[in-house]
Amino acid sequence: CDTISRLLSNDEFKDAVNDLARKGLEALGMADTYKIHHAVAVAIGPAGICLKAQGSSPLDSPETASNVILEVPLPFGGGVPHFDADSLRAAVLGEVAACQVL
C-alpha cells in the first residue's frame, strides 16, 4: 500500500489523483459543491483509497474563493475488498485508468 501511495504522489500522477478526488466527490453527490485544485492519496486499503484535497466552491470568484481541505473516500468498484497485493494493485490501477478515460 505504501509503495502504491508513493507512486501516486509522483508528479506524473498529479492529474490522475485530482481526477480520483473528483470521482470520490461524485460518489458522495458533491461533485458540483467543490472544485478540486490539488489532491493526494493519504491511505490505500482493501476497500478503497482515502484522499485529501484542496478545493473551493465553483461559485466563488478567484478573488473571493476560500480554500477548504476535504477528506474524500473513494471505494473500489464492485464492493469486494482486495486483500492480496496483486488484487489491490490491480484495483488501484483500474481506478486510475477509469479516471483517465473520462
Side-chain angles (χ1 to χ4, degrees), residues 7 10 41 48 52-53 75:
L7 181 63
N10 191 316
K52 278 206 178 183

Side-chain angles (χ1 to χ4, degrees), residues 2-102:
D2 291 335
T3 303
I4 297 170
S5 193
R6 281 193 306 273
L7 181 63
L8 290 177
S9 296
N10 191 316
D11 278 345
E12 93 180 62
F13 286 100
K14 180 177 71 170
D15 291 337
V17 175
N18 288 347
D19 289 342
L20 290 173
R22 285 185 201 95
K23 184 176 178 182
L25 286 179
E26 287 174 12
L28 295 171
M30 300 173 64
D32 296 331
T33 308
Y34 297 103
K35 178 180 176 186
I36 299 296
H37 302 294
H38 177 72
V40 294
V42 292
I44 298 173
I49 305 169
C50 251
L51 302 127
K52 278 206 178 183
Q54 179 184 18
S56 63
S57 170
L59 303 176
D60 291 342
S61 69
E63 296 81 29
T64 63
S66 60
N67 289 326
V68 295
I69 302 298
L70 307 163
E71 292 188 10
V72 183
L74 179 63
F76 293 130
V80 178
H82 302 275
F83 292 107
D84 65 275
D86 291 337
S87 175
L88 180 61
R89 189 175 315 119
V92 172
L93 293 175
E95 290 295 336
V96 170
C99 284
Q100 298 301 307
V101 172
L102 301 175

